């Protein structure tokens, strides 16, 4: 069954490439062993600067895709199922029935939001460090502090993201080919309604007020979320 459109996969791959180059070039600038291995520091600095500035561009270009915009809407909306998922994660409860999710689970939503915000902050602080005439010294010093420590946090989160991806071959297949098995979708994302992938991105089980009825699955989703919440309590 389809999960991601070609445009979404292009955005993911291009962003991953740019972010990976940015992180690697940063390592070459900060780690002596890598710096000696690679050399050509001026070139590495240029690569780091431009990959950092270009990292948000694929997502901006992806906005022309309706499917990408719909998934952004999903990621930016937290519903009752996400609270249930997060509480189960905090309890380290790995039972599938205790982690209801739509097309994206709460962890994926938090990760995407964090990376989006971090990229913007890194770009802003990086510009202050790149163009030294933009701000006074105290601002540039603060920007360097934020840039360096946020970079370490981003690397840690990226390692976790990559680890999760390697632990789930079907999720990787979905990002690689755009398709996943229905059994996987039903198990990992039981509240996902693929027939609404080109709609408004709602997946909170409440419906959109148009044509909701006992046969459209919204009531069943609401009942399922309510059952999870009662078990948690």
């Amino acid at each position: 069954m389809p999960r991601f459109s070609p445009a979404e996969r292009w955005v993911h791959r291009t962003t991953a490439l740019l972010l990976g180059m940015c992180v690697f070039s940063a390592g070459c600038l900060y780690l002596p062993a890598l710096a000696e291995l690679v050399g050509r520091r001026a070139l590495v600095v240029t690569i780091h600067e431009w990959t950092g500035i270009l990292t948000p561009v694929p997502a901006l270009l992806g906005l022309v895709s309706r499917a990408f915009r719909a998934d952004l809407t999903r990621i930016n909306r937290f519903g009752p199922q996400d609270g249930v998922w997060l509480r189960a994660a905090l309890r380290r409860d790995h039972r599938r029935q205790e982690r209801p999710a739509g097309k994206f689970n709460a962890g994926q939503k938090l990760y995407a939001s964090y990376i989006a915000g971090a990229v913007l902050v890194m770009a802003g602080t990086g510009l202050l460090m790149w163009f030294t005439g933009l701000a006074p010294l105290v601002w540039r010093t603060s920007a360097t502090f934020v840039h360096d420590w946020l970079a370490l946090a981003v690397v840690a989160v990226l390692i976790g993201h990559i680890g999760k991806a390697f632990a789930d071959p079907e999720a990787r297949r979905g990002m690689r080919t755009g398709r996943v098995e229905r059994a996987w979708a039903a198990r990992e994302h039981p509240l996902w309604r693929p027939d609404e992938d080109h709609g408004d991105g709602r997946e909170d089980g409440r419906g959109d007020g148009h044509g909701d009825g006992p046969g459209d699955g919204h009531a069943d989703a609401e009942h399922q979320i309510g059952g999870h919440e009662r078990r948690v309590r």
Side-chain angles (χ1 to χ4, degrees):
M1 62 185 292
R3 179 163 172 81
F4 294 116
S5 69
E8 291 176 291
R9 302 200 306 276
W10 177 85
V11 169
H12 184 269
R13 291 169 183 171
T14 310
T15 301
L17 176 63
L18 289 170
L19 194 55
M21 292 176 64
C22 191
V23 169
F24 180 74
S25 58
C28 293
L29 294 174
Y30 280 90
L31 301 177
L34 277 179
E36 292 178 6
L37 180 65
V38 175
R40 305 191 66 178
R41 184 177 179 85
L43 176 61
V44 173
V45 169
T46 300
I47 291 174
H48 182 72
E49 291 169 342
W50 282 104
T51 53
I53 294 300
L54 292 175
T55 296
V57 172
L60 295 176
L61 295 178
L63 292 175
V64 302
S65 165
R66 183 180 180 185
F68 182 68
R69 295 196 305 272
D71 276 352
L72 283 183
T73 300
R74 287 187 176 89
I75 288 172
N76 285 323
R77 284 180 176 167
F78 277 73
Q81 77 276 9
D82 296 311
V84 175
W85 194 99
L86 287 172
R87 287 193 290 272
L90 290 174
R91 298 195 311 272
R92 298 184 180 275
D93 188 341
H94 296 284
R95 291 176 295 173
R96 301 299 182 190
Q97 65 270 24
E98 296 299 329
R99 295 197 179 193
K103 186 172 185 178
F104 302 101
N105 62 44
Q108 292 167 330
K109 292 179 180 181
L110 288 176
Y111 168 79
S113 300
Y114 172 81
I115 288 296
V119 165
L120 293 178
V121 173
M122 295 287 285
T125 54
L127 285 172
L128 290 178
M129 297 162 61
W130 186 359
F131 299 101
T132 56
L134 290 178
L137 177 61
V138 64
W139 287 24
R140 299 199 305 273
T141 302
S142 300
T144 302
F145 177 84
V146 172
H147 195 87
D148 291 353
W149 282 103
L150 184 56
L152 291 175
V154 167
V155 169
V157 171
L158 285 175
I159 291 173
H161 177 67
I162 294 171
K164 286 289 186 181
F166 272 100
D168 193 339
E170 190 64 17
R172 295 201 312 274
R173 176 174 175 261
M175 188 54 71
R176 186 176 67 254
T177 67
R179 303 186 66 85
V180 294
E181 294 291 338
R182 288 187 179 275
W184 177 87
R187 183 179 69 252
E188 300 290 340
H189 301 272
L191 303 183
W192 174 28
R193 300 188 296 277
D195 57 310
E196 296 185 5
D197 268 3
H198 298 294
D200 66 353
R202 290 178 181 268
E203 283 183 326
D204 60 2
R206 301 180 186 279
D208 59 3
H210 300 286
D212 292 350
D216 66 357
H218 293 291
D220 291 340
E222 183 77 18
H223 176 73
Q224 184 178 1
I225 296 169
H228 283 296
E229 291 179 330
R230 285 193 294 273
R231 284 197 296 274
V232 170
R233 295 192 185 104

